[in-house]
mmCIF file of all heavy atoms in Angstrom:
data_model
loop_
_atom_site.group_PDB
_atom_site.id
_atom_site.type_symbol
_atom_site.label_atom_id
_atom_site.label_comp_id
_atom_site.label_asym_id
_atom_site.label_seq_id
_atom_site.Cartn_x
_atom_site.Cartn_y
_atom_site.Cartn_z
ATOM 1 N N ALA A 64 106.924 134.621 47.416
ATOM 2 C CA ALA A 64 106.884 133.455 46.521
ATOM 3 C C ALA A 64 106.798 133.910 45.057
ATOM 4 O O ALA A 64 107.321 133.163 44.199
ATOM 5 C CB ALA A 64 105.632 132.577 46.846
ATOM 6 N N ALA A 65 106.279 135.118 44.845
ATOM 7 C CA ALA A 65 106.190 135.588 43.490
ATOM 8 C C ALA A 65 107.398 136.169 42.929
ATOM 9 O O ALA A 65 107.454 136.541 41.737
ATOM 10 C CB ALA A 65 104.980 136.581 43.488
ATOM 11 N N ILE A 66 108.442 136.299 43.705
ATOM 12 C CA ILE A 66 109.650 136.985 43.362
ATOM 13 C C ILE A 66 110.320 136.161 42.106
ATOM 14 O O ILE A 66 110.826 136.737 41.222
ATOM 15 C CB ILE A 66 110.608 137.215 44.402
ATOM 16 C CG1 ILE A 66 110.119 138.263 45.309
ATOM 17 C CG2 ILE A 66 112.027 137.372 43.971
ATOM 18 C CD1 ILE A 66 110.977 138.514 46.584
ATOM 19 N N ALA A 67 110.228 134.807 42.236
ATOM 20 C CA ALA A 67 110.829 133.984 41.121
ATOM 21 C C ALA A 67 110.285 132.615 41.162
ATOM 22 O O ALA A 67 109.778 132.185 42.245
ATOM 23 C CB ALA A 67 112.396 133.918 41.367
ATOM 24 N N PRO A 68 110.325 131.869 39.996
ATOM 25 C CA PRO A 68 109.740 130.542 39.885
ATOM 26 C C PRO A 68 110.247 129.595 40.884
ATOM 27 O O PRO A 68 109.562 128.750 41.322
ATOM 28 C CB PRO A 68 110.118 130.162 38.460
ATOM 29 C CG PRO A 68 110.306 131.472 37.749
ATOM 30 C CD PRO A 68 110.937 132.397 38.675
ATOM 31 N N ASN A 69 111.602 129.726 41.239
ATOM 32 C CA ASN A 69 112.156 128.767 42.218
ATOM 33 C C ASN A 69 111.588 128.878 43.560
ATOM 34 O O ASN A 69 111.868 128.041 44.475
ATOM 35 C CB ASN A 69 113.686 128.876 42.256
ATOM 36 C CG ASN A 69 114.124 130.239 42.749
ATOM 37 O OD1 ASN A 69 113.769 131.242 42.210
ATOM 38 N ND2 ASN A 69 115.006 130.265 43.753
ATOM 39 N N LEU A 70 110.743 129.960 43.853
ATOM 40 C CA LEU A 70 110.120 130.095 45.110
ATOM 41 C C LEU A 70 108.625 129.918 45.156
ATOM 42 O O LEU A 70 108.036 130.105 46.126
ATOM 43 C CB LEU A 70 110.469 131.564 45.658
ATOM 44 C CG LEU A 70 111.921 131.865 45.709
ATOM 45 C CD1 LEU A 70 112.126 133.395 45.826
ATOM 46 C CD2 LEU A 70 112.649 131.187 46.841
ATOM 47 N N ALA A 71 108.037 129.698 43.999
ATOM 48 C CA ALA A 71 106.565 129.666 43.810
ATOM 49 C C ALA A 71 105.865 128.751 44.830
ATOM 50 O O ALA A 71 104.760 129.125 45.369
ATOM 51 C CB ALA A 71 106.231 129.247 42.377
ATOM 52 N N TRP A 72 106.442 127.595 45.121
ATOM 53 C CA TRP A 72 105.864 126.626 46.008
ATOM 54 C C TRP A 72 105.539 127.194 47.413
ATOM 55 O O TRP A 72 104.775 126.696 48.261
ATOM 56 C CB TRP A 72 106.651 125.429 46.057
ATOM 57 C CG TRP A 72 108.074 125.687 46.446
ATOM 58 C CD1 TRP A 72 109.105 125.972 45.522
ATOM 59 C CD2 TRP A 72 108.799 125.759 47.720
ATOM 60 N NE1 TRP A 72 110.320 126.219 46.215
ATOM 61 C CE2 TRP A 72 110.094 126.124 47.533
ATOM 62 C CE3 TRP A 72 108.229 125.633 49.033
ATOM 63 C CZ2 TRP A 72 110.962 126.307 48.610
ATOM 64 C CZ3 TRP A 72 109.135 125.772 50.061
ATOM 65 C CH2 TRP A 72 110.455 126.117 49.885
ATOM 66 N N MET A 73 106.245 128.336 47.810
ATOM 67 C CA MET A 73 106.183 128.807 49.118
ATOM 68 C C MET A 73 104.925 129.581 49.381
ATOM 69 O O MET A 73 104.661 130.098 50.537
ATOM 70 C CB MET A 73 107.504 129.652 49.197
ATOM 71 C CG MET A 73 107.818 130.391 50.300
ATOM 72 S SD MET A 73 109.545 130.902 50.367
ATOM 73 C CE MET A 73 110.439 129.477 50.203
ATOM 74 N N ALA A 74 104.119 129.867 48.305
ATOM 75 C CA ALA A 74 102.980 130.790 48.448
ATOM 76 C C ALA A 74 102.017 130.346 49.598
ATOM 77 O O ALA A 74 101.398 131.165 50.281
ATOM 78 C CB ALA A 74 102.311 130.973 47.173
ATOM 79 N N ASP A 75 101.841 129.054 49.803
ATOM 80 C CA ASP A 75 100.880 128.611 50.732
ATOM 81 C C ASP A 75 101.436 128.109 52.001
ATOM 82 O O ASP A 75 100.747 127.541 52.752
ATOM 83 C CB ASP A 75 100.034 127.489 50.068
ATOM 84 C CG ASP A 75 99.213 127.957 48.859
ATOM 85 O OD1 ASP A 75 98.787 129.110 48.964
ATOM 86 O OD2 ASP A 75 99.173 127.300 47.853
#
Side-chain angles (χ1 to χ4, degrees):
I66 286 176
N69 61 306
L70 304 165
W72 51 272
M73 176 163 310
D75 295 323

